[in-house]
Amino acid sequence: MPRIIVLPHADLCPEGAVLDDVATGTTVCEALLAHDIEIEHACEMSCACTTCHVIVREGFNSLPASDDLEDDMLDKAWGLEAQSRLSCQAIVTSEDLVVEIPRYTINHAREHH
């Protein structure tokens, strides 16, 4: 099973994390939430916002390509980079990933999920 290494994030994961038991076919967002990393997902993972934006520092090319809807949403994300993905759309394959959760989102108020 692939693993996801989450780089430290001051609020969500101060020490960083290694998620060793991530099932292939799961989204990055689902994996983070299953491991108590409370990444924002204001649209309930329907690809209608950018609050679950992550930057895939390693393993980006192993992810299935983003579609036009995701690309259009990413254009609105804070801190967009070439390796940016919406974690609700990034499906884990057989390769390990290293992800960074950006410090900010465009969300003005964070809801607890």
Side-chain angles (χ1 to χ4, degrees):
M1 291 178 108
R3 68 181 181 166
I4 298 176
I5 298 167
V6 183
L7 298 177
H9 181 281
D11 299 321
L12 303 177
C13 188
E15 303 296 320
V18 177
L19 316 181
D20 284 319
D21 56 346
V22 177
T24 300
T26 269
T27 67
V28 171
C29 188
E30 292 166 335
L32 295 172
L33 293 170
H35 289 84
D36 298 321
I37 299 172
E38 294 294 324
I39 189 166
E40 291 186 58
H41 54 289
C43 71
E44 296 300 321
M45 298 183 262
S46 65
C47 196
C49 74
T50 63
T51 59
C52 72
H53 169 226
V54 295
I55 302 163
V56 182
R57 296 292 181 201
E58 292 180 26
F60 181 82
N61 290 330
S62 72
L63 299 171
S66 58
D67 62 17
D68 290 340
L69 178 59
E70 181 182 357
D71 291 340
D72 288 346
M73 292 308 304
L74 279 169
D75 285 341
K76 302 172 187 175
W78 183 90
L80 183 67
E81 293 190 19
Q83 294 82 24
S84 288
R85 290 297 302 265
L86 297 181
S87 66
C88 70
Q89 301 300 302
I91 298 171
V92 177
T93 60
S94 59
E95 191 172 318
D96 292 349
L97 301 173
V98 175
V99 299
E100 178 181 349
I101 302 169
R103 177 83 174 124
Y104 302 103
T105 72
I106 63 169
N107 207 10
H108 293 284
R110 184 168 192 257
E111 297 178 27
H112 183 70
H113 290 277

XYZ file of all heavy atoms in Angstrom:
861
model
N 0.836 -1.185 0.000
C 0.000 0.000 0.000
C 0.878 1.246 0.000
O 1.891 1.290 0.695
C -0.892 0.024 1.241
C -1.963 -1.039 1.264
S -2.929 -0.979 2.782
C -4.437 -0.339 2.138
N 0.480 2.226 -0.761
C 1.270 3.466 -0.776
C 1.106 4.232 0.537
O 0.178 3.989 1.313
C 0.658 4.250 -1.940
C -0.718 3.723 -2.070
C -0.669 2.292 -1.649
N 2.024 5.140 0.759
C 1.904 5.990 1.939
C 1.906 7.440 1.499
O 2.390 7.779 0.415
C 3.000 5.711 2.948
C 4.374 6.103 2.495
C 5.389 5.754 3.551
N 6.690 6.175 3.089
C 7.746 6.271 3.849
N 7.674 5.960 5.112
N 8.888 6.665 3.357
N 1.366 8.275 2.366
C 1.368 9.711 2.136
C 2.144 10.352 3.273
O 1.827 10.129 4.448
C -0.059 10.293 2.086
C -0.846 9.685 0.934
C -0.005 11.816 1.951
C -2.308 10.132 0.883
N 3.153 11.107 2.911
C 3.907 11.885 3.891
C 3.348 13.299 3.835
O 3.311 13.921 2.767
C 5.409 11.878 3.580
C 5.945 10.437 3.658
C 6.168 12.806 4.522
C 7.312 10.249 3.078
N 2.878 13.777 4.975
C 2.300 15.109 5.063
C 3.326 16.018 5.725
O 3.780 15.734 6.850
C 0.986 15.101 5.887
C 0.367 16.487 5.911
C 0.012 14.071 5.332
N 3.721 17.065 5.030
C 4.678 18.012 5.594
C 4.021 18.804 6.720
O 2.795 18.969 6.734
C 5.193 18.938 4.498
C 5.943 18.229 3.356
C 6.355 19.230 2.282
C 7.156 17.472 3.875
N 4.800 19.283 7.681
C 4.213 20.009 8.813
C 3.371 21.208 8.378
O 3.719 21.923 7.455
C 5.441 20.471 9.602
C 6.502 19.483 9.260
C 6.255 19.133 7.812
N 2.245 21.370 9.049
C 1.338 22.503 8.874
C 1.040 23.013 10.273
O 0.625 22.241 11.144
C 0.063 22.059 8.165
C -0.917 23.152 7.922
N -1.748 23.638 8.906
C -1.197 23.873 6.804
C -2.505 24.592 8.407
N -2.180 24.757 7.131
N 1.235 24.285 10.514
C 1.160 24.849 11.862
C -0.128 24.508 12.596
O -0.110 24.247 13.797
C 1.347 26.370 11.797
N -1.246 24.497 11.903
C -2.527 24.268 12.573
C -3.038 22.837 12.464
O -3.568 22.290 13.420
C -3.593 25.211 12.003
C -3.240 26.672 12.214
O -2.703 27.007 13.290
O -3.488 27.472 11.294
N -2.915 22.248 11.295
C -3.542 20.955 11.044
C -2.678 19.756 11.386
O -3.201 18.687 11.709
C -3.966 20.853 9.573
C -4.917 21.934 9.072
C -5.203 21.751 7.594
C -6.204 21.909 9.880
N -1.367 19.927 11.308
C -0.465 18.788 11.483
C 0.929 19.316 11.841
O 1.851 19.229 11.036
C -0.455 18.003 10.178
S 0.391 16.451 10.224
N 1.086 19.889 13.044
C 2.330 20.592 13.383
C 3.612 19.758 13.263
O 4.660 20.288 12.930
C 2.113 21.030 14.828
C 0.654 20.958 15.066
C 0.105 19.955 14.107
N 3.520 18.477 13.502
C 4.701 17.617 13.432
C 4.852 16.930 12.082
O 5.807 16.174 11.880
C 4.613 16.547 14.529
C 4.475 17.104 15.930
C 5.695 17.908 16.351
O 6.829 17.498 16.031
O 5.503 18.957 16.987
N 3.899 17.154 11.185
C 3.874 16.374 9.958
C 3.307 15.002 10.283
O 2.986 14.706 11.442
N 3.166 14.161 9.278
C 2.615 12.824 9.521
C 3.015 11.893 8.389
O 3.294 12.331 7.276
C 1.095 12.880 9.620
N 3.028 10.608 8.708
C 3.219 9.568 7.703
C 1.991 8.671 7.772
O 1.712 8.075 8.811
C 4.505 8.754 7.956
C 4.632 7.643 6.931
C 5.734 9.657 7.927
N 1.266 8.612 6.669
C 0.066 7.787 6.584
C 0.453 6.508 5.852
O 0.603 6.503 4.637
C -1.051 8.523 5.843
C -1.279 10.000 6.199
C -2.437 10.568 5.394
C -1.489 10.179 7.684
N 0.637 5.437 6.605
C 1.167 4.196 6.036
C 0.126 3.294 5.391
O 0.449 2.465 4.571
C 1.891 3.392 7.115
C 3.251 3.972 7.428
O 3.958 4.378 6.498
O 3.598 4.012 8.619
N -1.098 3.406 5.772
C -2.107 2.445 5.319
C -3.160 3.086 4.421
O -4.344 2.972 4.660
C -2.753 1.777 6.517
C -3.362 2.786 7.491
O -3.066 3.983 7.374
O -4.146 2.366 8.362
N -2.703 3.722 3.362
C -3.619 4.402 2.441
C -3.988 3.438 1.313
O -3.120 2.903 0.625
C -2.971 5.682 1.855
C -3.896 6.339 0.852
C -2.587 6.634 2.974
N -5.264 3.230 1.142
C -5.735 2.313 0.101
C -5.663 2.972 -1.272
O -6.048 4.135 -1.433
C -7.163 1.877 0.393
N -5.175 2.239 -2.241
C -5.191 2.692 -3.629
C -6.638 2.985 -4.022
O -7.536 2.234 -3.664
C -4.588 1.608 -4.540
O -3.248 1.365 -4.128
C -4.580 2.034 -5.985
N -6.859 4.088 -4.726
C -8.199 4.468 -5.155
C -8.877 5.457 -4.232
O -9.926 5.998 -4.545
N -8.257 5.697 -3.085
C -8.760 6.684 -2.131
C -8.295 8.060 -2.575
O -7.235 8.174 -3.197
C -8.176 6.320 -0.755
O -9.037 5.480 -0.093
C -7.881 7.415 0.098
N -9.023 9.097 -2.257
C -8.527 10.438 -2.551
C -7.592 10.882 -1.431
O -7.669 10.376 -0.300
C -9.666 11.475 -2.695
O -10.302 11.666 -1.431
C -10.662 11.072 -3.769
N -6.738 11.822 -1.741
C -5.835 12.367 -0.726
C -6.650 12.971 0.412
O -6.322 12.770 1.591
C -4.866 13.397 -1.348
C -4.073 14.124 -0.283
C -3.939 12.716 -2.354
N -7.732 13.664 0.100
C -8.583 14.271 1.129
C -9.146 13.202 2.064
O -9.099 13.345 3.291
C -9.701 15.068 0.473
S -10.688 16.046 1.620
N -9.687 12.134 1.507
C -10.227 11.046 2.328
C -9.160 10.451 3.234
O -9.420 10.160 4.407
C -10.816 9.951 1.442
C -12.054 10.368 0.694
C -12.448 9.403 -0.421
O -11.569 8.683 -0.956
O -13.640 9.388 -0.757
N -7.958 10.277 2.705
C -6.865 9.714 3.501
C -6.490 10.635 4.660
O -6.289 10.180 5.785
C -5.654 9.443 2.613
N -6.396 11.936 4.376
C -6.059 12.887 5.435
C -7.122 12.873 6.530
O -6.800 12.788 7.721
C -5.911 14.296 4.858
C -4.754 14.511 3.882
C -4.843 15.896 3.249
C -3.417 14.314 4.557
N -8.372 12.940 6.147
C -9.458 12.956 7.124
C -9.501 11.660 7.938
O -9.743 11.681 9.147
C -10.794 13.195 6.426
C -10.967 14.580 5.795
C -12.217 14.604 4.918
C -11.007 15.665 6.856
N -9.241 10.527 7.291
C -9.247 9.233 7.984
C -8.145 9.138 9.031
O -8.230 8.323 9.954
C -9.104 8.098 6.968
N -7.119 9.975 8.876
C -6.000 9.990 9.827
C -6.037 11.232 10.714
O -5.009 11.681 11.214
C -4.677 9.886 9.070
C -4.450 8.535 8.490
N -4.965 8.158 7.273
C -3.796 7.454 8.981
C -4.624 6.907 7.029
N -3.925 6.450 8.047
N -7.232 11.788 10.888
C -7.471 12.916 11.799
C -6.708 14.185 11.443
O -6.387 14.983 12.316
C -7.185 12.516 13.256
C -8.103 11.392 13.720
O -9.290 11.429 13.350
O -7.629 10.493 14.437
N -6.408 14.363 10.166
C -5.857 15.621 9.688
C -7.027 16.362 9.059
O -7.496 16.010 7.978
C -4.702 15.398 8.690
C -3.576 14.623 9.381
C -4.201 16.737 8.143
C -2.462 14.177 8.462
N -7.528 17.348 9.754
C -8.794 18.003 9.425
C -8.639 19.064 8.325
O -8.905 20.243 8.544
C -9.408 18.615 10.683
C -9.831 17.585 11.702
C -10.974 16.695 11.224
O -11.861 17.196 10.507
O -10.955 15.495 11.557
N -8.260 18.618 7.145
C -8.160 19.525 6.010
C -9.558 20.052 5.687
O -10.548 19.325 5.789
C -7.521 18.824 4.785
C -7.219 19.850 3.685
C -8.367 17.661 4.300
C -6.310 19.329 2.602
N -9.623 21.321 5.328
C -10.908 21.899 4.956
C -11.433 21.231 3.688
O -10.659 20.852 2.806
C -10.774 23.403 4.727
C -10.501 24.180 5.997
C -10.528 25.668 5.760
O -11.568 26.173 5.283
O -9.506 26.307 6.030
N -12.733 21.114 3.610
C -13.401 20.573 2.417
C -14.830 21.102 2.412
O -15.805 20.387 2.582
C -13.340 19.046 2.372
C -13.862 18.357 3.591
N -13.190 18.384 4.798
C -14.984 17.651 3.812
C -13.879 17.697 5.699
N -14.990 17.243 5.121
N -14.922 22.411 2.228
C -16.186 23.134 2.379
C -17.280 22.641 1.442
O -18.462 22.733 1.772
C -15.964 24.630 2.187
N -16.929 22.109 0.288
C -17.949 21.654 -0.666
C -18.239 20.167 -0.508
O -18.892 19.565 -1.362
C -17.526 21.971 -2.096
S -16.156 20.969 -2.707
N -17.760 19.581 0.585
C -17.967 18.156 0.844
C -17.405 17.273 -0.270
O -17.993 16.279 -0.656
C -19.440 17.848 1.097
C -19.980 18.512 2.346
C -19.275 18.100 3.628
O -18.931 16.904 3.790
O -19.044 18.988 4.480
N -16.235 17.676 -0.778
C -15.476 16.901 -1.762
C -16.179 16.759 -3.105
O -16.066 15.738 -3.765
C -15.104 15.535 -1.187
C -14.217 15.624 0.034
S -13.697 14.037 0.672
C -14.875 13.813 1.992
N -16.880 17.820 -3.534
C -17.592 17.766 -4.812
C -16.906 18.582 -5.911
O -17.506 18.831 -6.951
C -19.028 18.258 -4.630
O -19.047 19.626 -4.278
N -15.681 19.022 -5.679
C -14.914 19.796 -6.662
C -15.597 21.121 -6.976
O -15.648 21.560 -8.112
C -14.656 18.992 -7.934
S -13.356 19.690 -8.984
N -16.135 21.756 -5.919
C -16.835 23.025 -6.109
C -16.186 24.171 -5.336
O -16.734 25.258 -5.271
C -18.295 22.883 -5.690
N -15.019 23.920 -4.738
C -14.297 24.975 -4.029
C -12.801 24.637 -4.080
O -12.410 23.686 -4.745
C -14.790 25.111 -2.579
S -14.266 23.786 -1.458
N -12.009 25.378 -3.361
C -10.564 25.104 -3.356
C -10.009 24.906 -1.948
O -8.801 24.931 -1.750
C -9.782 26.245 -4.029
O -9.970 27.443 -3.258
C -10.231 26.469 -5.447
N -10.870 24.695 -0.977
C -10.404 24.643 0.413
C -9.554 23.416 0.721
O -8.824 23.415 1.701
C -11.576 24.727 1.407
O -12.471 23.643 1.173
C -12.309 26.051 1.265
N -9.613 22.386 -0.104
C -8.794 21.181 0.133
C -7.533 21.164 -0.732
O -6.898 20.123 -0.893
C -9.625 19.922 -0.088
S -10.021 19.577 -1.823
N -7.151 22.317 -1.259
C -5.964 22.451 -2.106
C -4.714 21.925 -1.388
O -4.488 22.233 -0.225
C -5.800 23.930 -2.458
C -4.508 24.286 -3.099
N -3.780 25.381 -2.695
C -3.811 23.720 -4.101
C -2.694 25.474 -3.440
N -2.688 24.476 -4.301
N -3.941 21.107 -2.072
C -2.643 20.650 -1.580
C -1.624 20.805 -2.699
O -1.971 20.908 -3.870
C -2.663 19.174 -1.098
C -3.560 18.996 0.114
C -3.039 18.215 -2.210
N -0.358 20.791 -2.297
C 0.740 20.795 -3.264
C 1.437 19.446 -3.126
O 1.848 19.068 -2.026
C 1.712 21.953 -2.997
C 0.949 23.284 -3.062
C 2.861 21.928 -4.007
C 1.679 24.445 -2.429
N 1.517 18.720 -4.213
C 2.112 17.385 -4.200
C 3.597 17.555 -4.519
O 3.990 17.764 -5.651
C 1.412 16.451 -5.207
C 2.006 15.052 -5.134
C -0.092 16.414 -4.946
N 4.410 17.484 -3.478
C 5.853 17.717 -3.618
C 6.586 16.525 -4.227
O 7.619 16.694 -4.880
C 6.462 18.062 -2.258
C 5.944 19.361 -1.670
C 6.411 20.529 -2.492
N 5.940 21.798 -1.940
C 5.848 22.899 -2.629
N 6.173 22.924 -3.901
N 5.413 23.991 -2.064
N 6.090 15.317 -3.997
C 6.669 14.114 -4.615
C 5.539 13.177 -4.998
O 4.558 13.044 -4.258
C 7.622 13.402 -3.656
C 8.879 14.181 -3.355
C 9.823 13.465 -2.406
O 9.789 12.216 -2.334
O 10.583 14.161 -1.724
N 5.663 12.547 -6.158
C 4.664 11.601 -6.628
C 3.572 12.223 -7.479
O 2.613 11.546 -7.846
N 3.710 13.485 -7.821
C 2.679 14.198 -8.590
C 2.324 13.461 -9.879
O 1.148 13.328 -10.224
C 3.157 15.619 -8.897
C 2.168 16.442 -9.673
C 1.127 17.083 -9.030
C 2.271 16.580 -11.053
C 0.198 17.854 -9.740
C 1.360 17.338 -11.771
C 0.320 17.971 -11.110
N 3.317 12.976 -10.593
C 3.065 12.341 -11.895
C 2.387 10.986 -11.782
O 1.919 10.444 -12.780
C 4.363 12.230 -12.694
C 4.845 13.589 -13.157
O 4.051 14.495 -13.389
N 6.157 13.745 -13.270
N 2.314 10.423 -10.574
C 1.623 9.144 -10.402
C 0.116 9.322 -10.287
O -0.641 8.359 -10.418
C 2.138 8.424 -9.149
O 1.682 9.068 -7.965
N -0.337 10.544 -10.040
C -1.767 10.815 -9.893
C -2.444 10.872 -11.256
O -1.848 11.357 -12.221
C -1.987 12.147 -9.179
C -1.423 12.272 -7.770
C -1.532 13.710 -7.284
C -2.139 11.320 -6.824
N -3.682 10.403 -11.343
C -4.416 10.591 -12.600
C -4.504 12.085 -12.915
O -4.553 12.919 -12.004
C -5.803 10.014 -12.298
C -5.583 9.062 -11.157
C -4.461 9.657 -10.350
N -4.525 12.408 -14.161
C -4.553 13.817 -14.583
C -5.811 14.513 -14.075
O -6.876 13.901 -13.966
C -4.489 13.908 -16.104
N -5.669 15.788 -13.792
C -6.822 16.595 -13.391
C -7.705 16.838 -14.619
O -7.225 16.855 -15.747
C -6.363 17.920 -12.794
O -5.565 18.635 -13.715
N -9.006 17.043 -14.363
C -9.907 17.355 -15.468
C -10.114 18.873 -15.543
O -9.585 19.627 -14.728
C -11.229 16.598 -15.345
C -12.026 16.941 -14.101
O -11.767 17.986 -13.457
O -12.939 16.160 -13.757
N -10.894 19.303 -16.516
C -11.105 20.738 -16.733
C -11.762 21.417 -15.542
O -11.413 22.547 -15.194
C -11.942 20.984 -17.992
C -11.182 20.663 -19.278
O -9.934 20.617 -19.231
O -11.848 20.469 -20.313
N -12.704 20.747 -14.896
C -13.382 21.335 -13.741
C -12.400 21.580 -12.599
O -12.371 22.669 -12.013
C -14.530 20.439 -13.269
C -15.291 20.915 -12.028
C -15.902 22.298 -12.256
C -16.358 19.900 -11.653
N -11.563 20.590 -12.313
C -10.561 20.776 -11.263
C -9.585 21.886 -11.633
O -9.252 22.730 -10.799
C -9.804 19.477 -10.982
C -8.785 19.631 -9.881
C -7.966 18.380 -9.589
O -8.213 17.329 -10.215
O -7.060 18.461 -8.734
N -9.147 21.906 -12.865
C -8.217 22.948 -13.305
C -8.829 24.341 -13.155
O -8.162 25.278 -12.716
C -7.791 22.729 -14.760
C -6.897 21.505 -14.935
O -6.301 21.039 -13.928
O -6.813 21.010 -16.071
N -10.110 24.463 -13.503
C -10.790 25.755 -13.363
C -10.879 26.167 -11.897
O -10.686 27.333 -11.558
C -12.198 25.697 -13.967
C -12.185 25.645 -15.486
O -11.128 25.920 -16.096
O -13.240 25.300 -16.067
N -11.161 25.221 -11.017
C -11.234 25.529 -9.585
C -9.850 25.893 -9.056
O -9.706 26.839 -8.283
C -11.814 24.349 -8.799
C -13.277 24.070 -9.065
S -14.393 25.483 -8.891
C -14.074 26.014 -7.243
N -8.835 25.161 -9.472
C -7.476 25.438 -8.990
C -7.020 26.848 -9.338
O -6.253 27.449 -8.586
C -6.490 24.412 -9.553
C -6.438 23.081 -8.823
C -5.636 22.070 -9.631
C -5.878 23.236 -7.425
N -7.500 27.379 -10.443
C -7.136 28.748 -10.815
C -7.521 29.751 -9.742
O -6.975 30.851 -9.686
C -7.791 29.144 -12.142
C -7.123 28.488 -13.338
O -5.969 28.040 -13.210
O -7.770 28.427 -14.400
N -8.446 29.388 -8.859
C -8.909 30.272 -7.786
C -8.200 30.022 -6.452
O -8.450 30.727 -5.482
C -10.415 30.079 -7.590
C -11.223 30.340 -8.835
C -12.668 29.946 -8.624
C -13.428 30.050 -9.938
N -14.799 29.580 -9.817
N -7.347 29.018 -6.401
C -6.706 28.614 -5.136
C -5.620 29.596 -4.723
O -4.879 30.117 -5.555
C -6.112 27.216 -5.263
N -5.503 29.798 -3.414
C -4.440 30.619 -2.858
C -3.129 29.838 -2.957
O -3.081 28.659 -2.622
C -4.736 30.948 -1.395
C -3.704 31.841 -0.800
C -3.701 33.192 -0.780
C -2.497 31.442 -0.138
N -2.575 33.667 -0.179
C -1.815 32.620 0.236
C -1.919 30.203 0.154
C -0.589 32.581 0.896
C -0.698 30.172 0.811
C -0.058 31.359 1.169
N -2.072 30.469 -3.433
C -0.757 29.835 -3.478
C -0.609 28.742 -4.516
O 0.164 27.801 -4.331
N -1.304 28.861 -5.614
C -1.274 27.855 -6.679
C 0.149 27.624 -7.191
O 0.900 28.571 -7.396
C -2.170 28.319 -7.835
C -2.325 27.367 -9.013
C -3.068 26.115 -8.589
C -3.042 28.072 -10.151
N 0.512 26.361 -7.357
C 1.808 25.977 -7.921
C 1.578 24.941 -9.006
O 0.479 24.389 -9.129
C 2.719 25.402 -6.829
C 3.123 26.430 -5.791
C 4.206 25.928 -4.857
O 4.900 24.939 -5.204
O 4.367 26.525 -3.788
N 2.616 24.639 -9.758
C 2.497 23.677 -10.856
C 2.070 22.294 -10.368
O 1.421 21.544 -11.096
C 3.811 23.590 -11.624
N 2.399 21.939 -9.137
C 2.054 20.624 -8.583
C 0.830 20.687 -7.667
O 0.634 19.818 -6.827
C 3.238 20.024 -7.819
C 4.424 19.675 -8.688
C 5.296 20.902 -8.965
O 5.308 21.865 -8.224
N 6.008 20.851 -10.070
N 0.006 21.709 -7.826
C -1.199 21.844 -7.009
C -2.283 20.888 -7.489
O -2.429 20.650 -8.692
C -1.741 23.272 -7.085
O -0.926 24.159 -6.375
N -3.032 20.363 -6.534
C -4.218 19.539 -6.816
C -5.264 19.814 -5.744
O -4.941 20.233 -4.636
C -3.869 18.040 -6.766
C -3.003 17.524 -7.885
C -3.622 17.617 -9.274
N -4.890 16.915 -9.413
C -5.021 15.675 -9.874
N -3.958 14.997 -10.254
N -6.218 15.122 -9.968
N -6.505 19.566 -6.076
C -7.544 19.525 -5.066
C -7.476 18.131 -4.468
O -7.573 17.127 -5.191
C -8.915 19.789 -5.673
C -9.116 21.170 -6.297
C -10.532 21.305 -6.831
C -8.813 22.277 -5.306
N -7.292 18.056 -3.173
C -7.089 16.739 -2.561
C -8.318 15.847 -2.697
O -8.201 14.625 -2.683
C -6.673 16.875 -1.095
O -7.706 17.433 -0.310
N -9.498 16.441 -2.892
C -10.712 15.635 -3.076
C -10.764 14.985 -4.449
O -11.584 14.092 -4.685
C -11.966 16.472 -2.830
S -12.309 17.723 -4.102
N -9.914 15.412 -5.361
C -9.895 14.874 -6.721
C -8.636 14.062 -7.018
O -8.595 13.336 -8.012
C -10.011 16.018 -7.733
C -11.274 16.843 -7.580
C -12.531 16.023 -7.746
O -12.737 15.396 -8.776
N -13.381 16.022 -6.725
N -7.618 14.173 -6.183
C -6.347 13.487 -6.399
C -6.449 12.061 -5.855
O -6.515 11.850 -4.641
C -5.221 14.242 -5.710
N -6.492 11.096 -6.742
C -6.687 9.699 -6.364
C -5.331 9.005 -6.224
O -4.506 9.018 -7.130
C -7.565 8.975 -7.396
C -8.942 9.650 -7.433
C -7.683 7.496 -7.077
C -9.838 9.174 -8.544
N -5.142 8.391 -5.058
C -3.892 7.708 -4.744
C -3.760 6.459 -5.614
O -4.702 5.674 -5.740
C -3.853 7.330 -3.244
C -2.599 6.555 -2.911
C -3.986 8.579 -2.379
N -2.575 6.302 -6.203
C -2.271 5.094 -6.972
C -1.264 4.270 -6.171
O -1.310 4.294 -4.950
C -1.741 5.455 -8.368
O -0.548 6.226 -8.233
C -2.770 6.247 -9.177
N -0.355 3.607 -6.816
C 0.569 2.722 -6.102
C 1.841 3.417 -5.625
O 2.655 2.810 -4.943
C 0.944 1.546 -7.002
O 1.549 2.023 -8.185
N 2.026 4.676 -5.955
C 3.256 5.390 -5.594
C 3.055 6.252 -4.347
O 1.992 6.834 -4.142
C 3.692 6.277 -6.765
C 5.090 6.849 -6.611
C 5.556 7.548 -7.876
O 5.317 7.013 -8.962
O 6.159 8.632 -7.745
N 4.099 6.333 -3.520
C 4.062 7.191 -2.333
C 3.946 8.655 -2.756
O 4.420 9.045 -3.827
C 5.340 7.034 -1.507
C 5.457 5.655 -0.863
O 4.474 4.895 -0.869
O 6.537 5.354 -0.343
N 3.337 9.450 -1.882
C 3.178 10.881 -2.125
C 3.742 11.676 -0.957
O 3.693 11.222 0.186
C 1.697 11.243 -2.264
C 0.894 10.554 -3.358
C -0.583 10.907 -3.219
C 1.414 10.951 -4.729
N 4.244 12.858 -1.261
C 4.589 13.848 -0.241
C 3.724 15.057 -0.543
O 3.772 15.593 -1.655
C 6.086 14.228 -0.278
C 6.389 15.345 0.715
C 6.960 13.009 -0.003
N 2.898 15.452 0.438
C 1.989 16.566 0.214
C 2.204 17.668 1.235
O 2.572 17.418 2.379
C 0.505 16.138 0.223
C 0.226 15.141 -0.871
C 0.083 15.600 1.558
N 1.968 18.875 0.769
C 2.011 20.058 1.623
C 0.633 20.703 1.589
O 0.058 20.895 0.518
C 3.057 21.036 1.088
C 3.147 22.315 1.880
C 4.173 23.287 1.314
O 4.958 22.901 0.426
O 4.175 24.441 1.767
N 0.112 20.994 2.760
C -1.149 21.716 2.859
C -0.790 23.197 2.966
O -0.078 23.591 3.895
C -1.955 21.271 4.095
C -2.227 19.770 4.039
C -3.255 22.066 4.193
C -2.789 19.196 5.332
N -1.243 24.011 2.023
C -0.894 25.434 2.091
C -1.375 26.083 3.388
O -2.356 25.652 3.996
C -1.629 26.029 0.885
C -1.786 24.881 -0.055
C -2.014 23.695 0.831
N -0.692 27.105 3.783
C -0.995 27.811 5.038
C -2.375 28.450 5.018
O -3.052 28.508 6.024
C 0.084 28.874 5.274
C -0.131 29.727 6.482
C 0.365 29.046 7.742
N 0.258 29.972 8.853
C -0.413 29.697 9.957
N -0.980 28.531 10.121
N -0.486 30.572 10.926
N -2.801 28.942 3.869
C -4.063 29.669 3.774
C -4.967 29.060 2.713
O -4.511 28.383 1.799
C -3.815 31.138 3.406
C -2.930 31.850 4.380
C -1.598 32.109 4.074
C -3.412 32.245 5.623
C -0.775 32.753 4.978
C -2.585 32.885 6.528
C -1.269 33.144 6.204
O -0.460 33.774 7.106
N -6.264 29.344 2.838
C -7.233 29.027 1.798
C -8.002 30.314 1.498
O -7.844 31.306 2.205
C -8.248 27.943 2.237
O -9.141 28.494 3.192
C -7.545 26.718 2.803
N -8.854 30.268 0.497
C -9.674 31.439 0.202
C -10.917 31.475 1.075
O -11.714 32.394 0.993
C -10.060 31.509 -1.291
C -10.922 30.317 -1.702
C -8.837 31.626 -2.157
C -11.544 30.471 -3.081
N -11.087 30.476 1.919
C -12.246 30.412 2.804
C -12.107 31.459 3.902
O -11.087 31.558 4.565
C -12.327 29.015 3.431
C -13.712 28.611 3.815
O -14.667 29.264 3.460
N -13.805 27.513 4.547
N -13.147 32.257 4.117
C -13.106 33.299 5.124
C -13.401 32.778 6.524
O -12.959 33.343 7.511
C -14.098 34.421 4.779
C -13.708 35.160 3.553
N -12.692 36.094 3.531
C -14.176 35.084 2.291
C -12.563 36.569 2.306
N -13.449 35.967 1.538
N -14.163 31.715 6.614
C -14.512 31.137 7.910
C -14.402 29.632 7.826
O -14.985 29.009 6.941
C -15.930 31.541 8.300
N -13.646 29.057 8.719
C -13.452 27.620 8.705
C -14.550 26.950 9.498
O -14.846 27.327 10.624
C -12.093 27.268 9.298
C -11.790 25.802 9.223
C -10.327 25.551 9.541
N -10.016 24.196 9.180
C -9.893 23.207 10.046
N -10.043 23.439 11.335
N -9.617 21.995 9.660
N -15.152 25.933 8.889
C -16.172 25.149 9.575
C -15.538 23.867 10.071
O -14.695 23.278 9.406
C -17.304 24.798 8.613
C -18.034 26.012 8.091
C -19.114 25.641 7.104
O -19.631 24.516 7.191
O -19.429 26.467 6.259
N -15.945 23.423 11.240
C -15.431 22.164 11.757
C -16.259 21.019 11.183
O -17.465 21.011 11.289
C -15.486 22.150 13.289
C -14.904 20.892 13.855
N -13.559 20.638 13.801
C -15.474 19.847 14.475
C -13.327 19.471 14.376
N -14.478 18.980 14.780
N -15.591 20.060 10.546
C -16.307 18.930 9.943
C -16.141 17.711 10.801
O -15.182 17.227 11.125
C -15.760 18.642 8.537
C -16.121 19.697 7.565
N -17.329 19.715 6.931
C -15.485 20.804 7.162
C -17.390 20.768 6.135
N -16.283 21.435 6.251
